[in-house]
Amino acid sequence: MAKKTDKMSWREAWRLNVRAIRLLNSKNRMMFPYSVIHAISDAVGPYVGIYISARLITELTTLRRWNVLLGWALAAVISTAAFFILGSLMYHFYAAKSATFWQSLTRIEDEKFMSMDYCDVEDQKVRDLSDQIAQNRNWGGWGLDSISWRFENMVNSLFGIIGAVALTIGLFLAKVPDSAGNFTILNHPLFVLLIAALMGFVVWVSPVIGGKTENIRAGFAEKARLGNRIFGHFGYLNSDEHSQVDIRMYHQERISEYYAMKEGAWFTGGVFDRLYWGKMGFLSVLRSLLNSVLRAGIYVFVCLKAWAGAFGIGQVTQYIGALSRFSDSIRNFLDSLFGLRTNAKFLKDTFELLDIPNSMYQGSLTTEKRSDRNYDVEFKHVSFKYPNTDRWVLKDVSVKFKIGTKLAVVGENGSGKSTFIKLLCRLYDPQEGEILLNGVDIRKYNYDDYIGVFSVVFQDFRLISQRLGENVAGCDEYDREKAAKCLEDAGFGERLRELPDGLDTWLYKGFDEDGILVSGGEEQKIAIARALYKNAPFIILDEPTAALDPIAEADIYQKFDEIVGDRTAVYISHRLSSCRFCQEILVFADGRIVQNGSHDRLVETDGLYKKLWYAQAQYYAEEEKNRQMEAERAAAGM
Ligand code: ADP
């Protein structure tokens, strides 16, 4: 990330802005054309008003011909109405377009994250960059979001300048009559030069000061980011429902206050408070002062020329009106120009994110669509370490999945079981060895196609705050009977029948206050139902029963054969009792497959499996006892 105080060339700024406009235009066509027309009509309209008013005043203070007055009055009404209608129409179209603008902005980042290599999604540097972009937007309106209004301001002020020049040329051309004596000195070209020099000076200095203040502000981007982060985290921690119990128990609210006050940039006496009182405040005052001096100088010049008889009162109103708009327009124009350059530094962050290359998901082969689910998967000498780490998490793993069988992957926590599945799903690619599907390296397949072969319930799965049925089907139009059957198979049937809105019940309260809250075990059942609904040839459950009570767990085991049918199932667990029903068991230790075989064979063989089995046996005995007691209680109707 470049420092925001680094100088950027105009050329580079231009390139980035053009790229941003092109990008936004491709997402939201016609927004820029409408905004340009709106900006022009907004800029030119007032000059028409100034011009006609000046003509009316001139006529009123000179010949007072009623037909001429009527003509100008009519022109005033018609032109005002025409500009008003044009402006409103353009604004209407523009507003309609900009209503969807925010959505298209979010979509740009969403699409990038969806297509990015998964290892980059997880990369802290990428997360930081994405945070930085959000912070840029939140604290100063920097980045892509502000392009449209910055651009509109520039067009508006440019036409403001053109209009003002057109209406004030007469000021310099009109001559003071010879009868005005000493005042004829005002005809001297030196005055024109003097006014032009004064204007040039203020016009140049004012945005330079403006640019400096923007630069100072931009230079605090890091501090603002930290301040926002602290505020975003600690500012809401005490009201977070998930943290409340612990915070109350250990009085952790004091920590929040401490950090918020100590590091927060936005508090009284904080960085920004001091900044606005100090250099930035001074520069703003200086800038206003210079503008006032320019205005006063011009007013004096106009009044003196009028006093000397160069033009009448009507012209005075025209020149003063146009000139005050001129100085505003030129200041705004240069401000927008400098603003676009400063903003380009923030655009760089956005493009740095959008330009992260996608190197993983480039395969183009389609997977065979087989009704017999005959998909052959094989790991061949696969070794893997996570990006930016040095430790091999999987070492020389070779295994062939037997089609239609149930395979268990067991091992202690941290032995590499989940990583093994992540590689299978191509969330990462191995550094050594290869994974084959029907004999072809999985990197060669089109990713969407390939991932269609697997249904996985990850250990840290997430359900979304949406309707239950939609959660199961992953879309809003779905086969309701099938969704209900999957929920039934996953053990959620009874609860489903109790819900008055059935599949249409909202999960959680994030979207609907009548939504239901479900327990960890119930969430797991819904996640399993979602995996079943996908109906992929492979079903993979990573610690699927961790949150289930013993009865629900037993229920899933009993029905597991029926649930998975002819699919190839992979069952990951550190609880060995969960895996007895699988035909084949792989035992992982420190990233290697150290044993494999059936439960009966492994439990007889000296090795890790047997050791773990007997270490956990005591726990299973208790679990079995509890299960029996629960079953007896259920049978007795208690
Ligand atoms: P298991 O599923 O057997 O509990 P994992 O496959 O989750 O084990 O983890 C294996 C090792 O890889 C652990 O040491 C873990 O800390 C490490 N690990 C897991 N995820 C990441 C990650 N995203 N980045 C770096 N290391 C990771």
Side-chain angles (χ1 to χ4, degrees):
M1 276 170 266
K3 270 173 76 183
K4 303 299 180 272
T5 43
D6 292 347
K7 271 250 179 288
M8 174 177 281
S9 70
W10 283 105
R11 202 191 164 92
E12 170 79 344
W14 171 256
R15 192 185 62 77
L16 288 164
N17 275 293
V18 168
R19 185 173 168 195
I21 290 173
R22 282 214 178 115
L23 176 66
L24 293 176
N25 202 39
S26 71
K27 299 286 168 198
N28 209 335
R29 295 212 177 275
M30 290 310 288
M31 193 176 97
F32 280 99
Y34 288 140
S35 111
V36 167
I37 302 177
H38 174 242
I40 295 175
S41 75
D42 202 43
V44 174
Y47 288 114
V48 177
I50 289 174
Y51 180 79
I52 296 177
S53 308
R55 300 288 80 72
L56 271 169
I57 293 171
T58 305
E59 191 61 31
L60 275 171
T61 51
T62 53
L63 305 173
R64 304 176 66 159
R65 292 162 295 180
W66 74 267
N67 55 336
V68 176
L69 282 170
L70 195 68
W72 283 120
L74 265 176
V77 171
I78 292 169
S79 66
T80 311
F83 273 98
F84 185 74
I85 291 167
L86 179 69
S88 304
L89 259 178
M90 284 306 124
Y91 187 72
H92 165 76
F93 292 138
Y94 170 62
K97 281 282 160 197
S98 56
T100 54
F101 175 65
W102 303 108
Q103 205 189 348
S104 39
L105 269 181
T106 0
R107 208 173 291 152
I108 292 172
E109 227 176 283
D110 272 5
E111 282 170 4
K112 180 66 200 172
F113 271 109
M114 287 306 294
S115 65
M116 207 183 264
D117 292 354
Y118 183 74
C119 53
D120 287 328
V121 175
E122 273 204 334
D123 189 339
Q124 193 52 42
K125 278 197 224 106
V126 176
R127 309 268 25 135
D128 279 349
L129 185 59
S130 168
D131 274 0
Q132 169 84 59
I133 294 166
Q135 301 288 3
N136 294 344
R137 181 168 49 229
N138 295 343
W139 87 276
W142 303 109
L144 266 189
D145 314 41
S146 64
I147 290 287
S148 77
W149 64 258
R150 284 179 195 280
F151 181 73
E152 189 182 341
N153 273 359
M154 201 167 84
V155 174
N156 180 286
S157 44
L158 183 67
F159 277 83
I161 295 170
I162 296 172
V165 168
L167 289 198
T168 43
I169 283 212
L171 167 66
F172 300 101
L173 298 182
K175 296 268 180 255
V176 172
D178 292 340
S179 57
N182 288 343
F183 280 105
T184 50
I185 195 165
L186 293 170
N187 291 336
H188 199 284
L190 207 67
F191 271 95
V192 180
L193 279 179
L194 196 76
I195 296 265
L198 184 65
M199 268 186 179
F201 175 71
V202 175
V203 155
W204 178 247
V205 163
S206 165
V208 166
I209 295 176
K212 261 202 177 347
T213 46
E214 288 233 346
N215 229 12
I216 294 176
R217 227 158 74 86
F220 281 85
E222 289 299 315
K223 281 231 181 294
R225 188 163 76 97
L226 178 68
N228 267 343
R229 255 193 175 181
I230 289 170
F231 188 69
H233 180 67
F234 289 111
Y236 301 98
L237 197 62
N238 293 346
S239 52
D240 174 39
E241 59 185 294
H242 303 295
S243 319
Q244 268 267 323
V245 174
D246 292 288
I247 287 178
R248 284 178 185 216
M249 183 63 63
Y250 301 106
H251 277 302
Q252 285 175 315
E253 72 277 8
R254 291 178 303 213
I255 300 180
S256 299
E257 274 165 32
Y258 170 74
Y259 273 104
M261 296 308 290
K262 181 169 167 265
E263 305 283 354
W266 306 103
F267 292 88
T268 311
V271 174
F272 287 97
D273 188 20
R274 291 202 301 276
L275 192 65
Y276 285 107
W277 273 107
K279 199 168 170 188
M280 241 176 91
F282 171 74
L283 287 174
S284 294
V285 172
L286 185 67
R287 187 174 180 210
S288 304
L289 196 75
L290 281 172
N291 275 313
S292 306
V293 169
L294 172 69
R295 246 179 220 217
I298 292 173
Y299 287 178
V300 168
F301 182 65
V302 172
C303 291
L304 282 177
K305 263 191 132 169
W307 176 265
F311 40 74
I313 189 80
Q315 245 78 0
V316 172
T317 57
Q318 174 176 323
Y319 297 144
I320 293 219
L323 277 168
S324 61
R325 291 193 79 85
F326 175 76
S327 65
D328 284 348
S329 302
I330 203 135
R331 198 189 60 217
N332 287 343
F333 177 74
L334 290 164
D335 271 358
S336 326
L337 206 64
F338 277 80
L340 281 170
R341 184 166 77 160
T342 310
N343 192 49
K345 296 175 196 168
F346 294 90
L347 288 178
K348 244 182 154 173
D349 289 343
T350 304
F351 290 129
E352 193 180 328
L353 180 83
L354 298 183
D355 289 341
I356 292 173
N358 172 346
S359 45
M360 262 180 90
Y361 308 121
Q362 299 294 344
S364 56
L365 274 186
T366 49
T367 52
E368 258 180 287
K369 304 277 174 287
R370 303 187 64 119
S371 54
D372 58 3
R373 301 186 190 276
N374 218 343
Y375 293 93
D376 234 351
V377 173
E378 185 177 3
F379 275 59
K380 268 183 148 176
H381 305 291
V382 167
S383 296
F384 173 73
K385 47 186 168 186
Y386 279 98
N388 310 317
T389 63
D390 293 329
R391 196 163 64 89
W392 290 102
V393 170
L394 290 183
K395 295 167 210 157
D396 197 23
V397 171
S398 291
V399 61
K400 193 164 179 172
F401 291 69
K402 294 196 188 99
I403 296 160
T405 59
K406 288 192 281 298
L407 171 79
V409 180
V410 302
E412 289 175 293
N413 284 335
S415 55
K417 305 182 297 292
S418 298
T419 307
F420 173 67
I421 298 307
K422 285 181 186 165
L423 292 195
L424 181 62
C425 298
R426 281 210 72 206
L427 296 182
Y428 304 92
D429 281 336
Q431 284 85 6
E432 289 175 12
E434 55 181 357
I435 305 168
L436 308 172
L437 174 71
N438 293 345
V440 177
D441 190 323
I442 59 174
R443 282 173 276 217
K444 295 196 176 137
Y445 288 108
N446 169 285
Y447 185 67
D448 280 346
D449 232 35
Y450 174 74
I451 208 65
V453 176
F454 303 96
S455 267
V456 190
V457 179
F458 289 104
Q459 219 171 335
D460 49 359
F461 66 86
R462 286 272 192 284
L463 298 176
I464 302 172
S465 187
Q466 60 179 19
R467 290 190 170 92
L468 177 60
E470 292 167 354
N471 251 304
V472 172
C475 55
D476 56 348
E477 278 182 26
Y478 59 95
D479 180 341
R480 296 176 71 88
E481 230 172 86
K482 183 175 158 192
K485 166 93 172 63
C486 293
L487 282 163
E488 184 79 48
D489 288 345
F492 196 80
E494 205 173 310
R495 181 81 204 269
L496 177 64
R497 282 185 288 278
E498 284 167 7
L499 298 172
D501 292 330
L503 291 171
D504 295 323
T505 308
W506 281 86
L507 272 197
Y508 315 120
K509 303 207 176 271
F511 197 76
D512 181 1
E513 58 183 32
D514 292 329
I516 54 161
L517 297 176
V518 283
S519 69
E522 286 173 325
E523 281 179 334
Q524 210 150 26
K525 289 174 187 173
I526 298 169
I528 293 174
R530 181 171 63 180
L532 294 175
Y533 188 94
K534 187 173 172 189
N535 200 18
F538 278 73
I539 183 157
I540 302 168
L541 308 178
D542 190 353
E543 298 283 1
T545 54
L548 299 183
D549 57 64
I551 297 211
E553 189 182 1
D555 203 36
I556 292 260
Y557 293 156
Q558 270 164 20
K559 290 213 271 170
F560 203 69
D561 267 333
E562 189 189 321
I563 291 174
V564 299
D566 57 352
R567 283 174 260 219
T568 307
V570 184
Y571 203 88
I572 305 171
S573 183
H574 67 281
R575 290 161 71 167
L576 271 50
S577 69
S578 315
C579 307
R580 271 180 304 186
F581 63 95
C582 294
Q583 288 107 327
E584 167 99 10
I585 297 173
L586 300 181
V587 186
F588 269 76
D590 194 23
R592 289 181 194 279
I593 298 176
V594 290
Q595 280 186 293
N596 68 310
S598 67
H599 167 75
D600 292 341
R601 196 169 72 76
L602 288 171
V603 87
E604 297 286 303
T605 319
D606 282 340
L608 182 63
Y609 188 86
K610 187 174 174 185
K611 214 169 108 198
L612 291 174
W613 177 260
Y614 283 106
Q616 293 179 5
Q618 159 86 19
Y619 168 68
Y620 299 144
E622 271 173 30
E623 208 173 67
E624 193 58 42
K625 212 165 93 192
N626 284 343
R627 205 176 288 160
Q628 273 172 10
M629 274 167 58
E630 289 279 356
E632 280 163 19
R633 278 155 62 98
M638 289 166 77

